[in-house]
Amino acid sequence: MSSKVILPILLGIVAIGFMQFSFAEELEDGTFIVVDGEKFKQPQSKHSYQQLIISGFIEDYSRGSLITVVIISPTETQTEISTYAARNGEIYMPYHITNDSEIGVHQLILIYHEEEIDSTSFEILDNQ
């Protein structure tokens, strides 16, 4: 009876360990960029804004090196934001969505040492 319980538990532990090892290999360099949500509503008023947070991490960041985040709108308009990461490579940038922001999916590209190293996206929804 106890072998019927122990065997599935052991197989589960082995499977979880294998999945964690596979996931760790995929994120080997640790560099990434994310936003704090996938969808944001466009504000109705020109006097308000919706704030999203762009965050991430650059492995082997050289203190004082400029990083660039390129935001590509649905109409292919590009906005470049240049900033610095923290000493340890962490990225934290607030970004404001206004009532003038384009509706649709926006692509973010993280550039470091003139090389595109990661990307993500977010969507701005109509305020209706």
Side-chain angles (χ1 to χ4, degrees):
M1 180 77 172
S2 64
S3 65
K4 289 183 179 181
V5 173
I6 293 174
L7 185 59
I9 291 173
L10 288 175
L11 289 175
I13 291 170
V14 169
I16 290 170
F18 180 73
M19 287 188 303
Q20 287 177 339
F21 178 74
S22 297
F23 183 71
E25 279 187 353
E26 288 177 21
L27 296 177
E28 192 171 296
D29 72 354
T31 299
F32 68 92
I33 187 168
V34 295
V35 292
D36 64 340
E38 293 179 14
K39 298 181 183 210
F40 300 88
K41 281 196 174 182
Q42 181 189 50
Q44 292 182 346
S45 168
K46 67 179 181 177
H47 302 290
S48 64
Y49 61 87
Q50 174 80 12
Q51 180 170 287
L52 68 93
I53 302 298
I54 300 168
S55 59
F57 181 76
I58 297 177
E59 184 83 17
D60 297 325
Y61 177 70
S62 298
R63 187 175 176 185
S65 295
L66 208 57
I67 62 169
T68 302
V69 175
V70 177
I71 302 173
I72 304 171
S73 73
T75 60
E76 302 297 318
T77 303
Q78 293 189 13
T79 303
E80 288 189 12
I81 304 170
S82 294
T83 189
Y84 299 95
R87 182 182 342 196
N88 64 357
E90 290 182 11
I91 302 164
Y92 180 90
M93 292 182 350
Y95 181 76
H96 293 169
I97 297 169
T98 66
N99 70 332
D100 291 332
S101 298
E102 289 184 42
I103 305 297
V105 176
H106 295 248
Q107 183 76 25
L108 272 78
I109 301 171
L110 177 61
I111 299 173
Y112 181 59
H113 292 306
E114 299 180 17
E115 184 179 332
E116 293 182 12
I117 55 175
D118 198 21
S119 66
T120 190
S121 63
F122 64 92
E123 184 175 6
I124 298 176
L125 305 171
D126 193 356
N127 60 18
Q128 302 302 324

